Amino acid sequence: NGLGGGGWRVEFIIIIGFSDFEIARQALRYGVADYVLKPIKPDELREAALRCLGRLESAPDDALETRSAAARLIAYIDNSFTSPLSIDSLAAAFHFSPKYISSLIKQATGKSFTDYLTDIRLAKAALLLRATALSVGEIAAAVGYQDPHYFHRIFKRKMDLTPAQYRESV
């Protein structure tokens, strides 16, 4: 099934240091079951653990395996977006069919693989344009685009500004 041996069922709880709803929402979208704010209150952590335990006991194995696989897949993409990625390379790495990989990504993010990967890369590029003096070509390479002209076209299409215009606007 591509999830490793033993049929493990896992729920993740994240501990975050500040009350940022966007971070919590994104974590939940990636398959994290619950979150607890720092400083950790033992009762809140215990309640989160009990909610996870309840879901593990009541959820069908297939749903948990699918959610776990989707969370691992999205985490992999988020950590490897600078590398050449394709549905086929993900299918090989996760031992799933390309069609199943596509459906997991769509289910987890609401986007196609290409749109999700592009959004991650462009968000990082926008950050680099705002925070560094790197050239557009250097930024393109840093976020996984080997062809700076292609990066320029994609950035303009998605952001309605060229990278240089974007840099000047912030």
Side-chain angles (χ1 to χ4, degrees), residues 145-165:
Y145 290 100
Q146 302 310 309
D147 180 352
H149 299 290
Y150 179 69
F151 166 73
H152 188 275
R153 262 195 335 268
I154 295 295
F155 194 95
K156 170 95 167 112
R157 188 179 78 218
K158 289 278 194 171
M159 307 293 271
D160 290 328
L161 295 170
T162 67
Q165 290 168 333

Side-chain angles (χ1 to χ4, degrees), residues 62-127:
D62 288 347
L64 287 172
E65 289 178 5
T66 298
R67 202 168 84 193
S68 175
R72 288 187 309 113
L73 177 60
I74 295 305
Y76 182 86
I77 294 168
D78 289 350
N79 291 319
S80 305
F81 71 90
T82 61
S83 303
L85 291 177
S86 68
I87 290 290
D88 290 334
S89 69
L90 293 172
F94 282 82
H95 308 290
F96 291 132
S97 73
K99 184 176 179 179
Y100 187 60
I101 292 288
S102 293
S103 72
L104 285 175
I105 293 168
K106 182 75 168 181
Q107 179 182 351
T109 69
K111 300 175 183 177
S112 71
F113 164 71
T114 302
D115 285 343
Y116 183 71
L117 181 60
T118 299
D119 288 352
I120 290 171
R121 287 176 169 172
L122 294 185
K124 180 65 173 180
L127 177 71

Side-chain angles (χ1 to χ4, degrees), residues 1 3 7-11 30-32 55-72 96 100 104 107-108:
N1 66 8
L3 296 174
W8 289 92
R9 298 184 324 171
V10 178
E11 292 275 316
Y30 291 155
V32 171
R55 280 192 294 274
L56 285 171
E57 291 173 345
S58 65
D61 285 349
D62 288 347
L64 287 172
E65 289 178 5
T66 298
R67 202 168 84 193
S68 175
R72 288 187 309 113
F96 291 132
Y100 187 60
L104 285 175
Q107 179 182 351

